[in-house]
CSV table of all heavy atoms in Angstrom, one decimal:
chain,number,residue,atom,x,y,z
A,19,LEU,N,56.4,14.5,45.4
A,19,LEU,CA,56.0,13.7,46.6
A,19,LEU,C,55.8,14.5,47.8
A,19,LEU,O,54.8,14.4,48.5
A,19,LEU,CB,57.1,12.6,46.9
A,19,LEU,CG,56.9,11.7,48.1
A,19,LEU,CD1,55.7,10.9,48.0
A,19,LEU,CD2,58.1,10.8,48.3
A,20,MET,N,56.7,15.4,48.1
A,20,MET,CA,56.6,16.3,49.3
A,20,MET,C,55.3,17.1,49.2
A,20,MET,O,54.6,17.3,50.2
A,20,MET,CB,57.8,17.2,49.3
A,20,MET,CG,57.9,18.1,50.5
A,20,MET,SD,59.3,19.2,50.5
A,20,MET,CE,60.6,18.1,50.9
A,21,ALA,N,55.0,17.6,48.0
A,21,ALA,CA,53.8,18.5,47.8
A,21,ALA,C,52.5,17.7,48.0
A,21,ALA,O,51.5,18.3,48.3
A,21,ALA,CB,53.8,19.1,46.4
A,22,GLY,N,52.5,16.4,47.8
A,22,GLY,CA,51.3,15.6,47.8
A,22,GLY,C,51.0,14.9,49.1
A,22,GLY,O,50.1,14.1,49.2
A,23,VAL,N,51.7,15.3,50.2
A,23,VAL,CA,51.4,14.7,51.5
A,23,VAL,C,51.1,15.8,52.5
A,23,VAL,O,51.3,17.0,52.3
A,23,VAL,CB,52.6,13.8,52.0
A,23,VAL,CG1,52.8,12.6,51.0
A,23,VAL,CG2,53.9,14.6,52.1
A,24,ASP,N,50.6,15.3,53.7
A,24,ASP,CA,50.3,16.3,54.8
A,24,ASP,C,51.5,16.5,55.7
A,24,ASP,O,51.5,17.5,56.4
A,24,ASP,CB,49.1,15.7,55.6
A,24,ASP,CG,47.9,15.5,54.8
A,24,ASP,OD1,47.5,16.4,54.0
A,24,ASP,OD2,47.3,14.4,54.8
A,25,ARG,N,52.4,15.5,55.7
A,25,ARG,CA,53.6,15.6,56.6
A,25,ARG,C,54.7,14.9,55.9
A,25,ARG,O,54.6,13.9,55.3
A,25,ARG,CB,53.3,15.0,57.9
A,25,ARG,CG,54.2,15.3,59.0
A,25,ARG,CD,53.8,16.6,59.6
A,25,ARG,NE,54.7,17.1,60.7
A,25,ARG,CZ,54.5,16.9,62.0
A,25,ARG,NH1,53.4,16.3,62.4
A,25,ARG,NH2,55.4,17.4,62.8
A,26,PHE,N,55.9,15.6,55.9
A,26,PHE,CA,57.1,15.0,55.2
A,26,PHE,C,58.2,14.9,56.2
A,26,PHE,O,58.5,15.8,56.9
A,26,PHE,CB,57.5,15.9,54.0
A,26,PHE,CG,58.6,15.2,53.2
A,26,PHE,CD1,58.3,14.4,52.1
A,26,PHE,CD2,59.9,15.5,53.5
A,26,PHE,CE1,59.3,13.8,51.4
A,26,PHE,CE2,60.9,14.9,52.8
A,26,PHE,CZ,60.6,14.0,51.7
A,27,VAL,N,58.8,13.7,56.3
A,27,VAL,CA,59.9,13.4,57.2
A,27,VAL,C,61.2,13.2,56.4
A,27,VAL,O,61.3,12.4,55.5
A,27,VAL,CB,59.6,12.2,58.1
A,27,VAL,CG1,60.8,11.9,59.0
A,27,VAL,CG2,58.3,12.4,58.9
A,28,TYR,N,62.2,14.1,56.7
A,28,TYR,CA,63.5,13.8,56.2
A,28,TYR,C,64.2,12.7,57.0
A,28,TYR,O,64.4,12.9,58.2
A,28,TYR,CB,64.4,15.1,56.3
A,28,TYR,CG,63.9,16.3,55.4
A,28,TYR,CD1,63.5,17.4,56.0
A,28,TYR,CD2,64.0,16.2,54.1
A,28,TYR,CE1,63.1,18.5,55.2
A,28,TYR,CE2,63.6,17.3,53.3
A,28,TYR,CZ,63.2,18.4,53.9
A,28,TYR,OH,62.8,19.5,53.1
A,29,LEU,N,64.5,11.6,56.4
A,29,LEU,CA,65.1,10.5,57.1
A,29,LEU,C,66.6,10.8,57.2
A,29,LEU,O,67.4,10.2,56.5
A,29,LEU,CB,64.8,9.2,56.4
A,29,LEU,CG,65.1,7.9,57.1
A,29,LEU,CD1,64.2,7.8,58.4
A,29,LEU,CD2,64.9,6.7,56.2
A,30,ASP,N,66.9,11.8,58.0
A,30,ASP,CA,68.3,12.3,58.1
A,30,ASP,C,69.2,11.5,59.0
A,30,ASP,O,70.4,11.8,59.0
A,30,ASP,CB,68.3,13.8,58.5
A,30,ASP,CG,67.9,14.0,59.9
A,30,ASP,OD1,67.1,13.2,60.5
A,30,ASP,OD2,68.4,15.0,60.5
A,31,ASP,N,68.7,10.5,59.7
A,31,ASP,CA,69.6,9.7,60.5
A,31,ASP,C,69.7,8.3,60.0
A,31,ASP,O,70.1,7.4,60.8
A,31,ASP,CB,69.1,9.7,62.0
A,31,ASP,CG,67.7,9.4,62.2
A,31,ASP,OD1,67.0,9.1,61.3
A,31,ASP,OD2,67.3,9.3,63.4
A,32,SER,N,69.4,8.1,58.7
A,32,SER,CA,69.6,6.8,58.1
A,32,SER,C,71.1,6.7,57.8
A,32,SER,O,71.8,7.7,57.8
A,32,SER,CB,68.8,6.6,56.9
A,32,SER,OG,69.1,7.5,55.9
A,33,GLN,N,71.6,5.5,57.5
A,33,GLN,CA,73.0,5.3,57.3
A,33,GLN,C,73.4,5.9,56.0
A,33,GLN,O,72.8,5.8,55.0
A,33,GLN,CB,73.3,3.8,57.3
A,33,GLN,CG,74.7,3.4,57.1
A,33,GLN,CD,75.0,1.9,57.2
A,33,GLN,OE1,74.2,1.2,57.7
A,33,GLN,NE2,76.1,1.5,56.6
A,34,TYR,N,74.6,6.6,56.0
A,34,TYR,CA,75.2,7.1,54.8
A,34,TYR,C,75.7,6.0,53.9
A,34,TYR,O,76.3,5.1,54.4
A,34,TYR,CB,76.4,8.1,55.2
A,34,TYR,CG,77.2,8.4,54.0
A,34,TYR,CD1,76.7,9.3,53.1
A,34,TYR,CD2,78.5,7.9,53.9
A,34,TYR,CE1,77.5,9.6,52.0
A,34,TYR,CE2,79.3,8.3,52.8
A,34,TYR,CZ,78.8,9.1,51.8
A,34,TYR,OH,79.5,9.5,50.7
A,35,GLU,N,75.4,6.1,52.7
A,35,GLU,CA,75.8,5.2,51.7
A,35,GLU,C,76.7,5.9,50.7
A,35,GLU,O,76.3,6.8,50.0
A,35,GLU,CB,74.6,4.6,50.9
A,35,GLU,CG,73.7,3.8,51.8
A,35,GLU,CD,72.4,3.4,51.1
A,35,GLU,OE1,72.5,3.2,49.9
A,35,GLU,OE2,71.4,3.3,51.7
A,36,ARG,N,78.0,5.4,50.6
A,36,ARG,CA,78.9,5.9,49.6
A,36,ARG,C,78.4,5.9,48.2
A,36,ARG,O,77.8,4.9,47.8
A,36,ARG,CB,80.2,5.2,49.8
A,36,ARG,CG,81.4,6.0,50.1
A,36,ARG,CD,82.7,5.2,50.2
A,36,ARG,NE,83.6,5.6,49.1
A,36,ARG,CZ,84.0,4.8,48.2
A,36,ARG,NH1,83.7,3.5,48.2
A,36,ARG,NH2,84.8,5.2,47.2
A,37,ALA,N,78.7,6.9,47.4
A,37,ALA,CA,78.4,6.9,46.0
A,37,ALA,C,76.9,6.7,45.8
A,37,ALA,O,76.5,5.9,44.9
A,37,ALA,CB,79.2,5.9,45.2
A,38,SER,N,76.1,7.4,46.5
A,38,SER,CA,74.6,7.3,46.4
A,38,SER,C,74.1,8.7,46.1
A,38,SER,O,74.8,9.7,46.0
A,38,SER,CB,74.0,6.8,47.7
A,38,SER,OG,74.1,7.8,48.7
A,39,TRP,N,72.8,8.8,45.9
A,39,TRP,CA,72.2,10.1,45.6
A,39,TRP,C,72.2,11.0,46.9
A,39,TRP,O,71.9,12.2,46.8
A,39,TRP,CB,70.7,9.9,45.2
A,39,TRP,CG,70.6,9.1,44.0
A,39,TRP,CD1,70.0,7.9,43.9
A,39,TRP,CD2,71.0,9.4,42.7
A,39,TRP,NE1,70.1,7.4,42.6
A,39,TRP,CE2,70.7,8.3,41.8
A,39,TRP,CE3,71.7,10.5,42.1
A,39,TRP,CZ2,71.0,8.3,40.4
A,39,TRP,CZ3,72.0,10.5,40.7
A,39,TRP,CH2,71.7,9.4,39.9
A,40,GLN,N,72.7,10.5,48.0
A,40,GLN,CA,72.8,11.3,49.2
A,40,GLN,C,73.9,12.4,49.0
A,40,GLN,O,73.7,13.5,49.5
A,40,GLN,CB,73.2,10.4,50.4
A,40,GLN,CG,72.2,9.5,50.8
A,40,GLN,CD,72.7,8.4,51.8
A,40,GLN,OE1,73.9,8.3,52.1
A,40,GLN,NE2,71.8,7.7,52.4
A,41,ASN,N,74.9,12.1,48.3
A,41,ASN,CA,76.0,13.1,48.1
A,41,ASN,C,76.4,13.3,46.6
A,41,ASN,O,77.4,13.9,46.4
A,41,ASN,CB,77.2,12.8,48.9
A,41,ASN,CG,78.0,11.7,48.3
A,41,ASN,OD1,77.5,10.6,48.0
A,41,ASN,ND2,79.3,11.9,48.3
A,42,ARG,N,75.6,12.9,45.7
A,42,ARG,CA,75.9,13.1,44.3
A,42,ARG,C,74.7,13.2,43.4
A,42,ARG,O,73.6,12.7,43.8
A,42,ARG,CB,76.9,12.1,43.8
A,42,ARG,CG,76.4,10.7,43.6
A,42,ARG,CD,77.5,9.8,43.2
A,42,ARG,NE,76.9,8.6,42.7
A,42,ARG,CZ,77.5,7.7,41.9
A,42,ARG,NH1,78.8,8.0,41.5
A,42,ARG,NH2,77.0,6.6,41.6
A,43,ASN,N,74.8,13.7,42.2
A,43,ASN,CA,73.8,13.8,41.2
A,43,ASN,C,74.4,14.1,39.9
A,43,ASN,O,75.6,14.4,39.8
A,43,ASN,CB,72.7,14.8,41.6
A,43,ASN,CG,71.3,14.4,41.2
A,43,ASN,OD1,71.2,13.8,40.1
A,43,ASN,ND2,70.4,14.6,42.0
A,44,ARG,N,73.6,14.0,38.9
A,44,ARG,CA,74.1,14.3,37.5
A,44,ARG,C,73.3,15.5,36.9
A,44,ARG,O,72.1,15.6,37.2
A,44,ARG,CB,73.9,13.1,36.6
A,44,ARG,CG,74.8,12.0,36.7
A,44,ARG,CD,74.6,10.9,35.7
A,44,ARG,NE,73.2,10.5,35.7
A,44,ARG,CZ,72.8,9.3,35.7
A,44,ARG,NH1,73.6,8.3,35.6
A,44,ARG,NH2,71.5,9.0,35.7
A,45,VAL,N,74.0,16.2,36.1
A,45,VAL,CA,73.4,17.3,35.3
A,45,VAL,C,73.9,17.1,33.9
A,45,VAL,O,74.9,16.6,33.6
A,45,VAL,CB,73.6,18.7,35.8
A,45,VAL,CG1,73.0,18.9,37.2
A,45,VAL,CG2,75.1,19.0,35.9
A,46,LEU,N,73.1,17.6,32.9
A,46,LEU,CA,73.6,17.7,31.5
A,46,LEU,C,74.2,19.0,31.2
A,46,LEU,O,73.7,20.0,31.5
A,46,LEU,CB,72.4,17.5,30.6
A,46,LEU,CG,71.8,16.1,30.5
A,46,LEU,CD1,70.6,16.1,29.6
A,46,LEU,CD2,72.8,15.0,30.1
A,47,VAL,N,75.5,18.9,30.8
A,47,VAL,CA,76.2,20.1,30.3
A,47,VAL,C,76.5,19.9,28.9
A,47,VAL,O,77.2,18.9,28.5
A,47,VAL,CB,77.5,20.3,31.2
A,47,VAL,CG1,78.2,21.5,30.7
A,47,VAL,CG2,77.1,20.4,32.7
A,48,SER,N,76.0,20.8,28.0
A,48,SER,CA,76.2,20.6,26.6
A,48,SER,C,75.8,19.2,26.1
A,48,SER,O,76.5,18.6,25.3
A,48,SER,CB,77.7,20.9,26.2
A,48,SER,OG,78.0,22.2,26.6
A,49,GLY,N,74.7,18.7,26.6
A,49,GLY,CA,74.2,17.4,26.2
A,49,GLY,C,74.9,16.2,26.8
A,49,GLY,O,74.5,15.1,26.5
A,50,GLN,N,75.9,16.4,27.6
A,50,GLN,CA,76.6,15.3,28.2
A,50,GLN,C,76.4,15.3,29.7
A,50,GLN,O,76.5,16.3,30.4
A,50,GLN,CB,78.1,15.5,27.9
A,50,GLN,CG,78.5,15.4,26.4
A,50,GLN,CD,78.1,14.1,25.8
A,50,GLN,OE1,78.4,13.0,26.3
A,50,GLN,NE2,77.5,14.2,24.6
Side-chain angles (χ1 to χ4, degrees):
L19 172 64
M20 184 185 285
V23 296
D24 301 310
R25 198 81 184 263
F26 188 89
V27 179
Y28 292 116
L29 194 62
D30 69 330
D31 55 358
S32 64
Q33 183 176 339
Y34 168 69
E35 297 173 31
R36 236 179 115 241
S38 72
W39 301 115
Q40 295 169 349
N41 75 313
R42 68 183 194 159
N43 215 320
R44 283 185 306 226
V45 294
L46 288 177
V47 179
S48 301
Q50 298 298 316

